[in-house]
């Protein structure tokens, strides 16, 4: 199968720009796409007034800008105006649009983007011209291409622990990942902080269900009915991700007082730099 590129709008509509079925909606990808592969980075350096050159400190991945062009057809089956209106309806400055890239080997990866600028080529009248090009500038504030997340659901074991065992790389991506846990049974859970061996306690009461996102940049504990469970953490937060290219391993959540057969779920997202490949 050749590479398939689709755009899925917040309105639920979908247009195939490249690959199988491309152009069936009278809209297809023209030549030239910028920003599809590696995300943009800021290189951080430090220089000394008494020495030449500078020292590399680190790099920071910033939002991704993609510039591409689509061709919109005008024929007896459907007018340019209707097709152009459909294409414009896929995009918004404030709500996300998905760009989906599917390959046989790497499956589907999704980038979420927002409209930045749209320019219709009006050198010739699009209402009478056979086709018209539209140049799109879109921004992905989260610059990563996400593959299907790794999801593992387990019942409570007789050992008193949830052991999430991965026989393949738990994080095959080139970026650090913060696991998410879904917990729904009363009791105390000790949840790993990345893979550094430290576990932080969280206590749930009867009827409470939470999502624990260990990313320190988020609200880390969210309860389904709005109970402020996070306040029980006394300001203690998870801080450490699973490193890039993390191999197969176990993540163990220790429990106390959790009833048998109470399920728990682990979600590991997969943020890649490119729409295909291992990077």
């Amino acid at each position: 199968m050749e590479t398939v590129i689709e755009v899925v709008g917040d309105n639920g509509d979908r247009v195939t720009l490249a690959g199988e079925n491309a152009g069936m909606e009278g809209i297809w990808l023209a030549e030239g796409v910028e920003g599809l592969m590696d995300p943009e980075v800021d290189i951080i350096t430090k220089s000394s007034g008494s020495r030449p050159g500078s020292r590399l400190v680190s790099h920071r991945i910033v939002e991704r800008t993609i510039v591409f062009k689509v061709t919109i057809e005008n024929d007896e089956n459907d007018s340019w105006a209707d097709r152009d209106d459909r294409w414009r309806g896929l995009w918004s400055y404030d709500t996300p649009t998905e760009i989906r890239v599917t390959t046989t080997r790497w499956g589907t990866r999704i980038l979420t983007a927002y409209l930045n600028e749209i320019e219709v080529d009006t050198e010739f009248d699009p209402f009478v011209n056979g086709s018209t090009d539209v140049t799109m500038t879109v921004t992905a504030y989260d610059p990563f291409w996400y593959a299907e997340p790794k999801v593992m659901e387990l019942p409570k074991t007789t050992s008193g622990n949830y052991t999430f065992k991965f026989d393949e790389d738990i994080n095959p991506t080139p970026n650090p990942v913060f696991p998410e846990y879904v917990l729904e049974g009363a009791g105390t859970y000790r949840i790993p902080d990345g893979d550094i061996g430290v576990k932080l306690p969280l206590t749930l009461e009867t009827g409470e269900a939470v999502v624990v996102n260990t990313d320190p940049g988020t609200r880390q504990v969210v309860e389904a009915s709005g109970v402020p469970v996070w306040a029980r953490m006394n300001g203690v937060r998870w801080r450490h991700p699973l490193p890039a290219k993390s191999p197969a391993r176990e993540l163990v959540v220790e429990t106390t007082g959790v009833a048998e057969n109470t399920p728990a779920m682990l979600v590991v997202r997969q943020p890649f730099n490119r729409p295909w490949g291992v990077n």
Side-chain angles (χ1 to χ4, degrees), residues 3-8 13-29 70-71 86-87 90 100:
T3 302
V4 176
I5 301 177
E6 302 169 289
V7 171
V8 182
D13 196 9
R14 179 191 301 252
V15 169
T16 303
L17 295 182
E20 186 178 2
N21 298 323
M24 290 189 63
E25 295 91 355
I27 306 170
W28 61 88
L29 185 66
V70 298
T71 299
R86 179 180 181 182
W87 174 251
L90 295 173
R100 296 171 173 248

Side-chain angles (χ1 to χ4, degrees), residues 22-266:
M24 290 189 63
E25 295 91 355
I27 306 170
W28 61 88
L29 185 66
E31 294 182 359
V33 180
E34 300 177 12
L36 195 69
M37 301 298 282
D38 289 62
E40 301 174 42
V41 299
D42 283 342
I43 302 298
I44 302 171
T45 62
K46 185 176 182 179
S47 60
S48 170
S50 60
R51 296 183 61 84
S54 59
R55 176 173 60 87
L56 175 66
V57 176
S58 65
H59 74 278
R60 183 176 69 91
I61 298 176
V62 300
E63 69 270 13
R64 178 194 297 265
T65 299
I66 297 181
V67 181
F68 63 101
K69 186 182 295 184
V70 298
T71 299
I72 301 179
E73 193 173 17
N74 184 32
D75 58 27
E76 65 278 3
N77 295 322
D78 210 346
S79 71
W80 170 84
D82 290 337
R83 286 172 170 152
D84 176 72
D85 198 47
R86 179 180 181 182
W87 174 251
R88 182 62 181 83
L90 295 173
W91 296 94
S92 170
Y93 300 103
D94 302 310
T95 55
T97 296
E98 291 183 351
I99 302 175
R100 296 171 173 248
V101 175
T102 303
T103 59
T104 301
R105 183 174 179 182
W106 307 109
T108 298
R109 295 183 184 174
I110 299 174
L111 180 79
T112 301
Y114 296 76
L115 180 63
N116 187 302
E117 184 179 352
I118 184 168
E119 182 178 352
V120 179
D121 184 357
T122 56
E123 181 179 0
F124 302 100
D125 186 351
F127 288 94
V128 298
N129 205 32
S131 62
T132 298
D133 287 340
V134 178
T135 302
M136 306 291 300
T137 303
V138 302
T139 301
Y141 300 105
D142 181 342
F144 300 119
W145 292 93
Y146 284 92
E148 190 74 18
K150 295 177 180 288
V151 178
M152 185 177 295
E153 185 171 2
L154 296 176
K156 177 100 167 32
T157 65
T158 55
S159 68
N161 297 333
Y162 293 102
T163 300
F164 297 96
K165 183 177 180 180
F166 287 81
D167 296 325
E168 57 183 20
D169 290 356
I170 188 172
N171 175 24
T173 79
N175 300 294
V177 170
F178 292 93
E180 299 178 25
Y181 298 86
V182 181
L183 310 171
E184 55 184 87
T188 298
Y189 299 81
R190 297 187 64 85
I191 302 171
D193 189 17
D195 63 350
I196 65 171
V198 176
K199 295 182 173 67
L200 302 186
L202 173 67
T203 300
L204 300 183
E205 298 177 359
T206 301
E208 293 179 343
V210 300
V211 175
V212 176
N213 185 345
T214 60
D215 185 346
T218 67
R219 185 177 176 184
Q220 289 193 314
V221 182
V222 177
E223 205 277 329
S225 62
V227 176
V229 175
W230 53 269
R232 300 174 196 157
M233 299 294 295
N234 295 320
V236 179
R237 298 174 63 82
W238 292 271
R239 296 188 179 278
H240 299 91
L242 297 172
K245 307 293 186 181
S246 296
R249 70 183 62 194
E250 295 180 353
L251 288 179
V252 180
V253 176
E254 299 171 357
T255 69
T256 303
V258 178
E260 293 294 331
N261 300 317
T262 301
M265 181 184 296
L266 172 66

